[in-house]
PDB file of all heavy atoms in Angstrom:
ATOM      1  N   ALA A 618      37.220  30.864 -47.508  1.00 51.00           N
ATOM      2  CA  ALA A 618      38.499  30.471 -46.936  1.00 51.00           C
ATOM      3  C   ALA A 618      38.860  31.300 -45.717  1.00 51.00           C
ATOM      4  O   ALA A 618      38.619  32.494 -45.667  1.00 51.00           O
ATOM      5  CB  ALA A 618      39.592  30.619 -47.982  1.00 51.00           C
ATOM      6  N   ARG A 619      39.409  30.608 -44.720  1.00 56.00           N
ATOM      7  CA  ARG A 619      39.898  31.288 -43.534  1.00 56.00           C
ATOM      8  C   ARG A 619      41.403  31.410 -43.628  1.00 56.00           C
ATOM      9  O   ARG A 619      42.055  30.611 -44.285  1.00 56.00           O
ATOM     10  CB  ARG A 619      39.567  30.451 -42.299  1.00 56.00           C
ATOM     11  CG  ARG A 619      38.113  30.268 -42.069  1.00 56.00           C
ATOM     12  CD  ARG A 619      37.551  31.326 -41.164  1.00 56.00           C
ATOM     13  NE  ARG A 619      38.354  31.502 -39.954  1.00 56.00           N
ATOM     14  CZ  ARG A 619      39.237  32.464 -39.813  1.00 56.00           C
ATOM     15  NH1 ARG A 619      39.457  33.313 -40.765  1.00 56.00           N
ATOM     16  NH2 ARG A 619      39.904  32.577 -38.700  1.00 56.00           N
ATOM     17  N   THR A 621      44.663  30.614 -42.302  1.00 50.00           N
ATOM     18  CA  THR A 621      45.262  29.757 -41.282  1.00 50.00           C
ATOM     19  C   THR A 621      46.769  29.715 -41.435  1.00 50.00           C
ATOM     20  O   THR A 621      47.452  29.134 -40.623  1.00 50.00           O
ATOM     21  CB  THR A 621      44.741  28.312 -41.381  1.00 50.00           C
ATOM     22  OG1 THR A 621      45.034  27.831 -42.678  1.00 50.00           O
ATOM     23  CG2 THR A 621      43.276  28.232 -41.110  1.00 50.00           C
ATOM     24  N   SER A 622      47.290  30.322 -42.486  1.00 45.00           N
ATOM     25  CA  SER A 622      48.737  30.228 -42.635  1.00 45.00           C
ATOM     26  C   SER A 622      49.439  31.551 -42.352  1.00 45.00           C
ATOM     27  O   SER A 622      50.413  31.581 -41.630  1.00 45.00           O
ATOM     28  CB  SER A 622      49.091  29.747 -44.040  1.00 45.00           C
ATOM     29  OG  SER A 622      48.168  30.197 -44.971  1.00 45.00           O
ATOM     30  N   SER A 787      47.803  28.560 -31.623  1.00 85.00           N
ATOM     31  CA  SER A 787      48.344  27.440 -32.388  1.00 85.00           C
ATOM     32  C   SER A 787      47.245  26.458 -32.785  1.00 85.00           C
ATOM     33  O   SER A 787      47.460  25.590 -33.624  1.00 85.00           O
ATOM     34  CB  SER A 787      49.428  26.714 -31.579  1.00 85.00           C
ATOM     35  OG  SER A 787      48.915  26.359 -30.330  1.00 85.00           O
ATOM     36  N   MET A 793      48.027  22.616 -37.077  1.00 90.00           N
ATOM     37  CA  MET A 793      46.898  22.258 -36.236  1.00 90.00           C
ATOM     38  C   MET A 793      45.644  23.009 -36.665  1.00 90.00           C
ATOM     39  O   MET A 793      44.558  22.422 -36.751  1.00 90.00           O
ATOM     40  CB  MET A 793      47.242  22.622 -34.794  1.00 90.00           C
ATOM     41  CG  MET A 793      46.389  21.949 -33.813  1.00 90.00           C
ATOM     42  SD  MET A 793      47.125  20.404 -33.362  1.00 90.00           S
ATOM     43  CE  MET A 793      47.083  20.565 -31.618  1.00 90.00           C
ATOM     44  N   ARG A 795      44.958  24.247 -39.600  1.00 92.00           N
ATOM     45  CA  ARG A 795      44.491  23.700 -40.878  1.00 92.00           C
ATOM     46  C   ARG A 795      43.776  22.370 -40.666  1.00 92.00           C
ATOM     47  O   ARG A 795      42.721  22.110 -41.244  1.00 92.00           O
ATOM     48  CB  ARG A 795      45.666  23.516 -41.834  1.00 92.00           C
ATOM     49  CG  ARG A 795      45.976  24.739 -42.653  1.00 92.00           C
ATOM     50  CD  ARG A 795      47.024  24.428 -43.698  1.00 92.00           C
ATOM     51  NE  ARG A 795      48.329  24.144 -43.108  1.00 92.00           N
ATOM     52  CZ  ARG A 795      49.195  25.080 -42.745  1.00 92.00           C
ATOM     53  NH1 ARG A 795      48.896  26.339 -42.925  1.00 92.00           N
ATOM     54  NH2 ARG A 795      50.349  24.760 -42.209  1.00 92.00           N
ATOM     55  N   ASP A 802      35.229  20.966 -41.961  1.00 89.00           N
ATOM     56  CA  ASP A 802      34.607  21.011 -43.278  1.00 89.00           C
ATOM     57  C   ASP A 802      34.192  19.633 -43.763  1.00 89.00           C
ATOM     58  O   ASP A 802      33.131  19.468 -44.349  1.00 89.00           O
ATOM     59  CB  ASP A 802      35.560  21.640 -44.294  1.00 89.00           C
ATOM     60  CG  ASP A 802      35.614  23.139 -44.155  1.00 89.00           C
ATOM     61  OD1 ASP A 802      34.765  23.676 -43.426  1.00 89.00           O
ATOM     62  OD2 ASP A 802      36.484  23.776 -44.756  1.00 89.00           O
ATOM     63  N   SER A 803      35.020  18.635 -43.561  1.00 91.00           N
ATOM     64  CA  SER A 803      34.681  17.287 -44.012  1.00 91.00           C
ATOM     65  C   SER A 803      35.487  16.268 -43.231  1.00 91.00           C
ATOM     66  O   SER A 803      36.699  16.144 -43.414  1.00 91.00           O
ATOM     67  CB  SER A 803      34.972  17.140 -45.503  1.00 91.00           C
ATOM     68  OG  SER A 803      34.955  15.769 -45.846  1.00 91.00           O
ATOM     69  N   VAL A 808      40.043  12.485 -42.631  1.00 95.00           N
ATOM     70  CA  VAL A 808      40.557  11.144 -42.368  1.00 95.00           C
ATOM     71  C   VAL A 808      41.419  10.669 -43.540  1.00 95.00           C
ATOM     72  O   VAL A 808      42.485  10.091 -43.357  1.00 95.00           O
ATOM     73  CB  VAL A 808      39.377  10.188 -42.114  1.00 95.00           C
ATOM     74  CG1 VAL A 808      39.802   8.765 -42.337  1.00 95.00           C
ATOM     75  CG2 VAL A 808      38.859  10.364 -40.708  1.00 95.00           C
ATOM     76  N   GLY A 811      44.896  11.614 -43.513  1.00 94.00           N
ATOM     77  CA  GLY A 811      45.742  11.078 -42.455  1.00 94.00           C
ATOM     78  C   GLY A 811      45.509  11.705 -41.094  1.00 94.00           C
ATOM     79  O   GLY A 811      46.245  11.436 -40.152  1.00 94.00           O
ATOM     80  N   ASP A 813      43.892  11.994 -37.603  1.00 94.00           N
ATOM     81  CA  ASP A 813      43.188  11.114 -36.676  1.00 94.00           C
ATOM     82  C   ASP A 813      42.064  11.920 -36.037  1.00 94.00           C
ATOM     83  O   ASP A 813      42.237  12.540 -34.991  1.00 94.00           O
ATOM     84  CB  ASP A 813      44.164  10.597 -35.621  1.00 94.00           C
ATOM     85  CG  ASP A 813      43.540   9.515 -34.762  1.00 94.00           C
ATOM     86  OD1 ASP A 813      42.309   9.365 -34.817  1.00 94.00           O
ATOM     87  OD2 ASP A 813      44.284   8.834 -34.045  1.00 94.00           O
ATOM     88  N   ARG A 925      44.043  37.941 -59.632  1.00 42.00           N
ATOM     89  CA  ARG A 925      45.044  37.375 -60.523  1.00 42.00           C
ATOM     90  C   ARG A 925      44.343  36.645 -61.672  1.00 42.00           C
ATOM     91  O   ARG A 925      43.322  36.008 -61.439  1.00 42.00           O
ATOM     92  CB  ARG A 925      45.917  36.381 -59.760  1.00 42.00           C
ATOM     93  CG  ARG A 925      47.055  37.085 -59.050  1.00 42.00           C
ATOM     94  CD  ARG A 925      48.100  36.095 -58.661  1.00 42.00           C
ATOM     95  NE  ARG A 925      48.034  35.819 -57.233  1.00 42.00           N
ATOM     96  CZ  ARG A 925      48.779  34.899 -56.655  1.00 42.00           C
ATOM     97  NH1 ARG A 925      49.579  34.161 -57.356  1.00 42.00           N
ATOM     98  NH2 ARG A 925      48.696  34.711 -55.364  1.00 42.00           N
ATOM     99  N   SER A 932      50.185  21.743 -71.279  1.00 53.00           N
ATOM    100  CA  SER A 932      51.589  21.585 -71.660  1.00 53.00           C
ATOM    101  C   SER A 932      51.635  20.845 -73.000  1.00 53.00           C
ATOM    102  O   SER A 932      50.661  20.209 -73.400  1.00 53.00           O
ATOM    103  CB  SER A 932      52.311  20.763 -70.598  1.00 53.00           C
ATOM    104  OG  SER A 932      51.784  19.466 -70.606  1.00 53.00           O
ATOM    105  N   GLY A 935      50.680  17.364 -72.631  1.00 51.00           N
ATOM    106  CA  GLY A 935      49.244  17.234 -72.433  1.00 51.00           C
ATOM    107  C   GLY A 935      48.518  17.162 -73.750  1.00 51.00           C
ATOM    108  O   GLY A 935      47.621  16.347 -73.955  1.00 51.00           O
ATOM    109  N   ARG A 945      42.610   6.920 -79.994  1.00 53.00           N
ATOM    110  CA  ARG A 945      42.271   5.572 -79.550  1.00 53.00           C
ATOM    111  C   ARG A 945      40.769   5.405 -79.416  1.00 53.00           C
ATOM    112  O   ARG A 945      40.219   4.344 -79.674  1.00 53.00           O
ATOM    113  CB  ARG A 945      42.955   5.280 -78.204  1.00 53.00           C
ATOM    114  CG  ARG A 945      44.431   4.985 -78.377  1.00 53.00           C
ATOM    115  CD  ARG A 945      45.085   4.779 -77.041  1.00 53.00           C
ATOM    116  NE  ARG A 945      44.867   3.433 -76.523  1.00 53.00           N
ATOM    117  CZ  ARG A 945      45.473   2.993 -75.416  1.00 53.00           C
ATOM    118  NH1 ARG A 945      46.286   3.785 -74.747  1.00 53.00           N
ATOM    119  NH2 ARG A 945      45.253   1.779 -74.998  1.00 53.00           N
ATOM    120  N   ALA A 946      40.126   6.478 -79.020  1.00 50.00           N
ATOM    121  CA  ALA A 946      38.677   6.399 -78.872  1.00 50.00           C
ATOM    122  C   ALA A 946      38.019   6.210 -80.239  1.00 50.00           C
ATOM    123  O   ALA A 946      37.029   5.501 -80.365  1.00 50.00           O
ATOM    124  CB  ALA A 946      38.150   7.654 -78.198  1.00 50.00           C
ATOM    125  N   ARG A 949      38.261   2.603 -81.442  1.00 47.00           N
ATOM    126  CA  ARG A 949      37.495   1.584 -80.752  1.00 47.00           C
ATOM    127  C   ARG A 949      36.079   2.040 -80.431  1.00 47.00           C
ATOM    128  O   ARG A 949      35.776   2.397 -79.303  1.00 47.00           O
ATOM    129  CB  ARG A 949      38.165   1.290 -79.407  1.00 47.00           C
ATOM    130  CG  ARG A 949      39.215   0.208 -79.432  1.00 47.00           C
ATOM    131  CD  ARG A 949      39.367  -0.322 -78.028  1.00 47.00           C
ATOM    132  NE  ARG A 949      38.117  -0.160 -77.266  1.00 47.00           N
ATOM    133  CZ  ARG A 949      37.052  -0.893 -77.426  1.00 47.00           C
ATOM    134  NH1 ARG A 949      37.023  -1.844 -78.306  1.00 47.00           N
ATOM    135  NH2 ARG A 949      35.976  -0.673 -76.703  1.00 47.00           N
TER     136      ARG A 949
ATOM    137  N   PRO B 498      40.778   4.251 -41.106  1.00 95.00           N
ATOM    138  CA  PRO B 498      41.141   4.873 -42.386  1.00 95.00           C
ATOM    139  C   PRO B 498      42.342   5.810 -42.307  1.00 95.00           C
ATOM    140  O   PRO B 498      43.184   5.795 -43.206  1.00 95.00           O
ATOM    141  CB  PRO B 498      39.874   5.625 -42.798  1.00 95.00           C
ATOM    142  CG  PRO B 498      38.895   5.473 -41.707  1.00 95.00           C
ATOM    143  CD  PRO B 498      39.349   4.404 -40.803  1.00 95.00           C
ATOM    144  N   HIS B 499      42.441   6.608 -41.215  1.00 95.00           N
ATOM    145  CA  HIS B 499      43.572   7.544 -41.194  1.00 95.00           C
ATOM    146  C   HIS B 499      44.901   6.801 -41.121  1.00 95.00           C
ATOM    147  O   HIS B 499      45.908   7.258 -41.658  1.00 95.00           O
ATOM    148  CB  HIS B 499      43.430   8.553 -40.051  1.00 95.00           C
ATOM    149  CG  HIS B 499      43.734   7.976 -38.708  1.00 95.00           C
ATOM    150  ND1 HIS B 499      42.757   7.428 -37.902  1.00 95.00           N
ATOM    151  CD2 HIS B 499      44.894   7.831 -38.046  1.00 95.00           C
ATOM    152  CE1 HIS B 499      43.313   6.978 -36.797  1.00 95.00           C
ATOM    153  NE2 HIS B 499      44.605   7.213 -36.851  1.00 95.00           N
ATOM    154  N   ARG B 503      48.056   6.949 -43.646  1.00 93.00           N
ATOM    155  CA  ARG B 503      49.458   7.145 -43.249  1.00 93.00           C
ATOM    156  C   ARG B 503      50.340   6.002 -43.735  1.00 93.00           C
ATOM    157  O   ARG B 503      51.535   6.179 -43.938  1.00 93.00           O
ATOM    158  CB  ARG B 503      49.555   7.271 -41.733  1.00 93.00           C
ATOM    159  CG  ARG B 503      49.006   8.587 -41.233  1.00 93.00           C
ATOM    160  CD  ARG B 503      49.114   8.677 -39.739  1.00 93.00           C
ATOM    161  NE  ARG B 503      48.409   9.848 -39.247  1.00 93.00           N
ATOM    162  CZ  ARG B 503      48.240  10.118 -37.956  1.00 93.00           C
ATOM    163  NH1 ARG B 503      48.721   9.293 -37.050  1.00 93.00           N
ATOM    164  NH2 ARG B 503      47.609  11.200 -37.578  1.00 93.00           N
ATOM    165  N   GLU B 514      34.782  15.743 -51.766  1.00 94.00           N
ATOM    166  CA  GLU B 514      34.924  16.155 -50.368  1.00 94.00           C
ATOM    167  C   GLU B 514      36.151  17.049 -50.243  1.00 94.00           C
ATOM    168  O   GLU B 514      37.270  16.564 -50.174  1.00 94.00           O
ATOM    169  CB  GLU B 514      35.100  14.927 -49.462  1.00 94.00           C
ATOM    170  CG  GLU B 514      33.920  13.992 -49.405  1.00 94.00           C
ATOM    171  CD  GLU B 514      32.849  14.466 -48.425  1.00 94.00           C
ATOM    172  OE1 GLU B 514      33.078  15.467 -47.719  1.00 94.00           O
ATOM    173  OE2 GLU B 514      31.777  13.831 -48.391  1.00 94.00           O
ATOM    174  N   PHE B 516      37.973  20.720 -48.416  1.00 94.00           N
ATOM    175  CA  PHE B 516      37.917  21.606 -47.265  1.00 94.00           C
ATOM    176  C   PHE B 516      37.583  23.002 -47.779  1.00 94.00           C
ATOM    177  O   PHE B 516      38.459  23.760 -48.197  1.00 94.00           O
ATOM    178  CB  PHE B 516      39.243  21.609 -46.527  1.00 94.00           C
ATOM    179  CG  PHE B 516      39.729  20.221 -46.203  1.00 94.00           C
ATOM    180  CD1 PHE B 516      41.027  19.845 -46.489  1.00 94.00           C
ATOM    181  CD2 PHE B 516      38.874  19.292 -45.620  1.00 94.00           C
ATOM    182  CE1 PHE B 516      41.468  18.565 -46.188  1.00 94.00           C
ATOM    183  CE2 PHE B 516      39.311  18.015 -45.323  1.00 94.00           C
ATOM    184  CZ  PHE B 516      40.613  17.655 -45.608  1.00 94.00           C
ATOM    185  N   ALA B 517      36.295  23.329 -47.781  1.00 91.00           N
ATOM    186  CA  ALA B 517      35.846  24.569 -48.412  1.00 91.00           C
ATOM    187  C   ALA B 517      36.384  25.798 -47.683  1.00 91.00           C
ATOM    188  O   ALA B 517      36.475  26.876 -48.255  1.00 91.00           O
ATOM    189  CB  ALA B 517      34.324  24.607 -48.459  1.00 91.00           C
ATOM    190  N   GLY B 518      36.746  25.629 -46.416  1.00 88.00           N
ATOM    191  CA  GLY B 518      37.226  26.767 -45.652  1.00 88.00           C
ATOM    192  C   GLY B 518      38.713  27.038 -45.844  1.00 88.00           C
ATOM    193  O   GLY B 518      39.260  27.945 -45.225  1.00 88.00           O
ATOM    194  N   GLU B 523      46.257  25.252 -49.353  1.00 95.00           N
ATOM    195  CA  GLU B 523      46.119  24.703 -47.999  1.00 95.00           C
ATOM    196  C   GLU B 523      45.499  23.315 -48.020  1.00 95.00           C
ATOM    197  O   GLU B 523      45.871  22.439 -47.231  1.00 95.00           O
ATOM    198  CB  GLU B 523      45.276  25.647 -47.139  1.00 95.00           C
ATOM    199  CG  GLU B 523      46.030  26.886 -46.706  1.00 95.00           C
ATOM    200  CD  GLU B 523      45.139  27.878 -45.985  1.00 95.00           C
ATOM    201  OE1 GLU B 523      43.938  27.939 -46.297  1.00 95.00           O
ATOM    202  OE2 GLU B 523      45.648  28.593 -45.115  1.00 95.00           O
ATOM    203  N   GLU B 530      50.961  17.422 -44.708  1.00 91.00           N
ATOM    204  CA  GLU B 530      51.527  17.551 -43.364  1.00 91.00           C
ATOM    205  C   GLU B 530      50.936  16.587 -42.336  1.00 91.00           C
ATOM    206  O   GLU B 530      51.403  16.537 -41.214  1.00 91.00           O
ATOM    207  CB  GLU B 530      51.445  19.003 -42.865  1.00 91.00           C
ATOM    208  CG  GLU B 530      50.069  19.552 -42.656  1.00 91.00           C
ATOM    209  CD  GLU B 530      50.095  21.079 -42.562  1.00 91.00           C
ATOM    210  OE1 GLU B 530      51.176  21.674 -42.547  1.00 91.00           O
ATOM    211  OE2 GLU B 530      49.010  21.662 -42.526  1.00 91.00           O
ATOM    212  N   LEU B 537      50.072  15.779 -30.641  1.00 84.00           N
ATOM    213  CA  LEU B 537      49.171  16.917 -30.624  1.00 84.00           C
ATOM    214  C   LEU B 537      49.670  18.002 -29.683  1.00 84.00           C
ATOM    215  O   LEU B 537      49.515  19.191 -29.943  1.00 84.00           O
ATOM    216  CB  LEU B 537      47.776  16.457 -30.202  1.00 84.00           C
ATOM    217  CG  LEU B 537      47.050  15.560 -31.209  1.00 84.00           C
ATOM    218  CD1 LEU B 537      45.751  15.046 -30.629  1.00 84.00           C
ATOM    219  CD2 LEU B 537      46.794  16.325 -32.491  1.00 84.00           C
ATOM    220  N   LEU B 541      50.057  22.026 -30.061  1.00 84.00           N
ATOM    221  CA  LEU B 541      49.382  23.004 -29.208  1.00 84.00           C
ATOM    222  C   LEU B 541      50.367  24.021 -28.660  1.00 84.00           C
ATOM    223  O   LEU B 541      50.088  25.211 -28.583  1.00 84.00           O
ATOM    224  CB  LEU B 541      48.674  22.288 -28.049  1.00 84.00           C
ATOM    225  CG  LEU B 541      47.969  23.204 -27.055  1.00 84.00           C
ATOM    226  CD1 LEU B 541      46.777  23.874 -27.711  1.00 84.00           C
ATOM    227  CD2 LEU B 541      47.532  22.460 -25.823  1.00 84.00           C
ATOM    228  N   LEU B 568      45.961  29.011 -59.044  1.00 93.00           N
ATOM    229  CA  LEU B 568      44.774  29.034 -58.184  1.00 93.00           C
ATOM    230  C   LEU B 568      45.129  28.816 -56.715  1.00 93.00           C
ATOM    231  O   LEU B 568      44.244  28.645 -55.875  1.00 93.00           O
ATOM    232  CB  LEU B 568      43.798  27.945 -58.627  1.00 93.00           C
ATOM    233  CG  LEU B 568      43.232  28.074 -60.040  1.00 93.00           C
ATOM    234  CD1 LEU B 568      42.421  26.842 -60.396  1.00 93.00           C
ATOM    235  CD2 LEU B 568      42.377  29.317 -60.148  1.00 93.00           C
ATOM    236  N   ASP B 570      45.877  30.414 -54.092  1.00 92.00           N
ATOM    237  CA  ASP B 570      45.295  31.159 -52.982  1.00 92.00           C
ATOM    238  C   ASP B 570      43.790  31.350 -53.093  1.00 92.00           C
ATOM    239  O   ASP B 570      43.197  32.148 -52.377  1.00 92.00           O
ATOM    240  CB  ASP B 570      45.982  32.524 -52.863  1.00 92.00           C
ATOM    241  CG  ASP B 570      47.428  32.353 -52.425  1.00 92.00           C
ATOM    242  OD1 ASP B 570      47.695  31.385 -51.686  1.00 92.00           O
ATOM    243  OD2 ASP B 570      48.282  33.154 -52.843  1.00 92.00           O
ATOM    244  N   VAL B 612      42.207  15.439 -70.161  1.00 90.00           N
ATOM    245  CA  VAL B 612      43.481  15.154 -70.807  1.00 90.00           C
ATOM    246  C   VAL B 612      44.625  15.335 -69.819  1.00 90.00           C
ATOM    247  O   VAL B 612      45.517  14.507 -69.694  1.00 90.00           O
ATOM    248  CB  VAL B 612      43.658  16.069 -72.028  1.00 90.00           C
ATOM    249  CG1 VAL B 612      45.073  15.985 -72.542  1.00 90.00           C
ATOM    250  CG2 VAL B 612      42.665  15.681 -73.101  1.00 90.00           C
ATOM    251  N   GLU B 616      47.187  12.469 -68.442  1.00 92.00           N
ATOM    252  CA  GLU B 616      48.628  12.697 -68.503  1.00 92.00           C
ATOM    253  C   GLU B 616      49.260  12.495 -67.128  1.00 92.00           C
ATOM    254  O   GLU B 616      50.265  11.788 -66.982  1.00 92.00           O
ATOM    255  CB  GLU B 616      48.830  14.137 -68.995  1.00 92.00           C
ATOM    256  CG  GLU B 616      50.234  14.634 -69.036  1.00 92.00           C
ATOM    257  CD  GLU B 616      50.236  16.168 -69.100  1.00 92.00           C
ATOM    258  OE1 GLU B 616      49.165  16.762 -69.336  1.00 92.00           O
ATOM    259  OE2 GLU B 616      51.302  16.747 -68.890  1.00 92.00           O
ATOM    260  N   ARG B 636      36.400   6.004 -72.942  1.00 87.00           N
ATOM    261  CA  ARG B 636      37.568   6.575 -73.634  1.00 87.00           C
ATOM    262  C   ARG B 636      38.703   6.829 -72.657  1.00 87.00           C
ATOM    263  O   ARG B 636      39.866   6.540 -72.920  1.00 87.00           O
ATOM    264  CB  ARG B 636      37.178   7.888 -74.313  1.00 87.00           C
ATOM    265  CG  ARG B 636      36.390   7.684 -75.591  1.00 87.00           C
ATOM    266  CD  ARG B 636      36.175   9.012 -76.256  1.00 87.00           C
ATOM    267  NE  ARG B 636      35.570   9.962 -75.313  1.00 87.00           N
ATOM    268  CZ  ARG B 636      35.514  11.261 -75.539  1.00 87.00           C
ATOM    269  NH1 ARG B 636      36.071  11.785 -76.631  1.00 87.00           N
ATOM    270  NH2 ARG B 636      34.926  12.060 -74.683  1.00 87.00           N
ATOM    271  N   THR B 639      40.265   3.568 -71.508  1.00 93.00           N
ATOM    272  CA  THR B 639      41.101   3.006 -72.564  1.00 93.00           C
ATOM    273  C   THR B 639      42.406   3.774 -72.684  1.00 93.00           C
ATOM    274  O   THR B 639      43.459   3.192 -72.958  1.00 93.00           O
ATOM    275  CB  THR B 639      40.361   3.057 -73.914  1.00 93.00           C
ATOM    276  OG1 THR B 639      38.977   2.906 -73.682  1.00 93.00           O
ATOM    277  CG2 THR B 639      40.842   1.972 -74.835  1.00 93.00           C
ATOM    278  N   ASP B 660      40.977  -2.900 -73.758  1.00 92.00           N
ATOM    279  CA  ASP B 660      40.422  -3.236 -75.063  1.00 92.00           C
ATOM    280  C   ASP B 660      39.717  -4.585 -75.031  1.00 92.00           C
ATOM    281  O   ASP B 660      38.594  -4.725 -75.498  1.00 92.00           O
ATOM    282  CB  ASP B 660      41.535  -3.258 -76.112  1.00 92.00           C
ATOM    283  CG  ASP B 660      42.012  -1.854 -76.429  1.00 92.00           C
ATOM    284  OD1 ASP B 660      41.161  -0.945 -76.379  1.00 92.00           O
ATOM    285  OD2 ASP B 660      43.215  -1.670 -76.684  1.00 92.00           O
ATOM    286  N   PHE B 663      36.442  -4.297 -72.867  1.00 89.00           N
ATOM    287  CA  PHE B 663      35.361  -3.560 -73.515  1.00 89.00           C
ATOM    288  C   PHE B 663      34.845  -4.289 -74.753  1.00 89.00           C
ATOM    289  O   PHE B 663      33.712  -4.085 -75.171  1.00 89.00           O
ATOM    290  CB  PHE B 663      35.818  -2.145 -73.898  1.00 89.00           C
ATOM    291  CG  PHE B 663      35.841  -1.204 -72.737  1.00 89.00           C
ATOM    292  CD1 PHE B 663      37.000  -0.530 -72.382  1.00 89.00           C
ATOM    293  CD2 PHE B 663      34.701  -1.015 -71.971  1.00 89.00           C
ATOM    294  CE1 PHE B 663      37.018   0.321 -71.305  1.00 89.00           C
ATOM    295  CE2 PHE B 663      34.705  -0.148 -70.883  1.00 89.00           C
ATOM    296  CZ  PHE B 663      35.875   0.518 -70.551  1.00 89.00           C
TER     297      PHE B 663
END
Side-chain angles (χ1 to χ4, degrees):
Chain A
R619 297 268 311 99
T621 58
S622 33
S787 53
M793 198 90 129
R795 272 187 292 277
D802 283 349
S803 166
V808 159
D813 189 346
R925 275 197 256 174
S932 66
R945 284 177 81 173
R949 271 202 28 75
Chain B
H499 75 268
R503 288 180 188 174
E514 295 278 355
F516 309 131
E523 285 174 329
E530 65 197 354
L537 292 174
L541 178 68
L568 298 173
D570 292 329
V612 169
E616 175 198 348
R636 283 186 307 166
T639 328
D660 288 327
F663 282 123

